Amino acid sequence: ASDSTVLIESGRLTVIDSSENKTGAIINNNNANYTDLNSWGAIRVKGGALILESGKIIGTRSAIYCDSNVSVTINGGEIRGIGDEGMGIYVSDGVNLTINGGYISTETTKRYAITAKESISGYTININGGLIERTIAHIGAGNLVVRDGVIRDETAAVIMKKGTLEIKGGKLI
């Protein structure tokens, strides 16, 4: 069972906001089950791939939750964690996350725009563009490569505990 609004188990889902006013959104404000991290996410990518071209993804725990060994590409749109526990994107072991554009944020300074647990390993996050407002918590044993885009937070653009970090361009503010 999943408390996610959209659950991807296999295949590839491409999200494009085709509404006239570009107000399309996938929203999950289910915060009833705080004991099971796997139950959170407006979109849960359990298998396969997600491509976000446009539209809004909004969640009270994580807007996008990535299970192990999946692929997520953000080319545009808005990803936002809301409420006291809201995160933008959560990554697990072996996830390949590529951000080419768009906007990723959280409403609270208690949570991160992109995060993984310390026990997570083998993930890759490539940032080639976009605006990320809140810290990236690169605390697992993965790879984070920043080539372009802006990462902005009042305290730290990136928190790193393990893994590798390559900064080849972009702005960390």
Side-chain angles (χ1 to χ4, degrees), residues 6-125:
V6 175
L7 174 63
I8 304 167
E9 292 188 335
S10 64
R12 180 181 73 204
L13 173 65
T14 301
V15 177
I16 300 171
D17 181 359
S18 60
S19 65
E20 186 175 322
N21 295 327
K22 301 298 180 204
T23 56
I26 297 171
I27 301 170
N28 182 320
N29 60 6
N30 180 5
N31 59 2
N33 184 4
Y34 278 149
T35 60
D36 179 10
L37 185 61
N38 293 330
S39 70
W40 299 323
I43 297 180
R44 179 179 177 188
V45 188
K46 190 173 182 178
L50 168 67
I51 300 170
L52 178 62
E53 296 290 348
S54 58
K56 295 178 182 178
I57 312 298
I58 301 168
T60 53
R61 186 59 177 158
S62 57
I64 299 175
Y65 181 94
C66 305
D67 281 277
S68 297
N69 303 311
V70 299
S71 175
V72 174
T73 302
I74 310 300
N75 293 322
E78 177 181 339
I79 299 165
R80 188 163 32 105
I82 59 172
D84 287 345
E85 300 295 322
M87 296 178 274
I89 302 173
Y90 178 85
V91 299
S92 300
D93 295 312
V95 167
N96 184 1
L97 172 62
T98 302
I99 301 167
N100 297 317
Y103 176 73
I104 303 170
S105 71
T106 67
E107 286 183 338
T108 178
T109 57
K110 294 184 345 185
R111 291 293 175 192
Y112 305 112
I114 302 170
T115 191
K117 290 184 195 175
E118 278 190 71
S119 60
I120 301 299
S121 65
Y123 62 85
T124 300
I125 301 170

